[in-house]
Amino acid sequence: MPLYQQLEQQLEALIRSGTLPAGTVLPAERQLAEHLGLSRATVQKAYNTLRQHKLLASQGRRGFLVQETGPRLNPGMDRLKGFTEEMRLLGKVASSRILERAIVSDRSIASIFGLPSPARFLKLVRVRYGDGIPLSREVAWYNLAEAPALEHGDLSGSVYAFLAEQCGTPLNYCDQTVEATTPNQEEAEIFGFTQPVPCLLIKRRSYTHGNIMVEYVEGLFRGDAYSYRLRLGA
């Protein structure tokens, strides 16, 4: 078997086994060739094959980034739903880990809600999991004037369900934006990235039937796992 095929198969086995997880940066062709005592052409052929198989992505002089090997999640963006319901629709079990829960007054957040500076909010920072895999880190603020039961409620599950069932404040619609960004060190560690991987930052403002804003959330979703789907009519 040619040397480049041997190298390609060895690297593919390491990637698919998780020994080289998504986000790992492999050396540039010349560096790896010198390290292994191979020609640059041999390494180049192996890398090119792995790129064709969508296992590597070129990072220019930095080297090659290992790509996610599993199937991406393809949730629709056709209606308002929380993370818990989204996971259920995708056939996954949702769970959460609360990193911070506090009652705050924040002038910049109050301005987003269109409320006076002294307004009180529940700030909730959570890591959201699908089948035990960390998929997003969310920072959310909730308007306690409209949903006071949130202050002491059990929020280990779906906040949207709690709003509807315990507060009598079901959410009706939202305004949402999606941006590309790079995770900071804390976020990269939560997702298990050894190197930063581009992620999706989703900012959402959610309203009741009375057009009252109840939630503002900034959720960072791992870019190696998500590919959002949106149907547009003519």
Side-chain angles (χ1 to χ4, degrees), residues 82-99:
F83 182 87
T84 301
E85 182 184 1
E86 185 170 87
M87 288 298 103
R88 180 181 61 79
L89 293 173
L90 292 171
K92 297 185 177 295
V93 177
S95 59
S96 300
R97 176 164 61 97
I98 297 177
L99 302 180

Side-chain angles (χ1 to χ4, degrees), residues 7-227:
L7 177 60
E8 176 260 317
Q9 289 188 6
Q10 291 170 5
L11 289 174
E12 180 173 356
L14 292 173
I15 293 171
R16 294 196 182 279
S17 69
T19 304
L20 293 175
T24 301
V25 177
L26 300 184
E29 295 162 355
R30 186 184 300 277
Q31 292 176 304
L32 186 60
E34 292 175 355
H35 179 72
L36 297 178
L38 300 173
S39 70
R40 183 179 179 182
T42 296
V43 175
Q44 187 177 53
K45 286 183 178 180
Y47 274 177
N48 283 341
T49 302
L50 293 170
R51 289 174 63 187
Q52 292 171 6
H53 294 167
K54 308 297 183 183
L55 296 177
L56 289 183
S58 175
Q59 299 290 292
R61 293 182 179 179
R62 292 179 54 202
F64 290 79
L65 186 71
V66 176
Q67 301 287 81
E68 175 63 39
T69 58
R72 288 180 176 243
L73 301 176
N74 290 277
M77 300 185 76
D78 52 341
R79 65 183 182 87
L80 173 61
K81 56 184 178 293
F83 182 87
T84 301
E85 182 184 1
E86 185 170 87
M87 288 298 103
R88 180 181 61 79
L89 293 173
L90 292 171
K92 297 185 177 295
V93 177
S95 59
S96 300
R97 176 164 61 97
I98 297 177
L99 302 180
E100 180 184 349
R101 178 174 179 167
I103 306 302
V104 300
S105 292
D106 185 301
R107 179 178 299 178
S108 61
I109 297 301
S111 67
I112 291 175
F113 281 82
L115 295 174
S117 297
R120 297 170 70 248
F121 301 94
L122 170 66
K123 180 182 179 182
L124 192 62
V125 183
R126 295 184 290 175
V127 179
R128 313 303 301 273
Y129 298 83
D131 287 349
I133 299 172
L135 296 177
S136 73
R137 178 184 182 273
E138 294 181 354
V139 184
W141 291 264
Y142 296 93
N143 182 353
L144 288 176
E146 295 301 320
L150 284 174
E151 183 169 351
H152 302 292
D154 179 5
L155 304 181
S156 58
S158 169
V159 174
Y160 282 16
F162 189 93
L163 284 169
E165 297 166 7
Q166 304 298 323
C167 301
T169 312
L171 298 178
N172 184 41
Y173 69 96
C174 73
D175 293 324
Q176 185 165 281
T177 62
V178 182
E179 306 171 15
T181 189
T182 301
N184 59 32
Q185 182 176 350
E186 177 192 0
E187 293 161 341
E189 290 176 356
I190 288 172
F191 294 144
F193 296 155
T194 56
Q195 295 289 335
V197 174
C199 291
L200 301 174
L201 176 62
I202 297 181
K203 298 179 181 180
R204 174 184 289 184
R205 305 183 186 202
S206 304
Y207 300 82
T208 67
H209 287 277
N211 299 322
I212 298 174
M213 185 174 170
V214 173
E215 175 197 55
Y216 174 65
V217 59
E218 296 183 357
L220 186 75
F221 291 77
R222 55 188 305 159
D224 63 345
Y226 271 85
S227 177

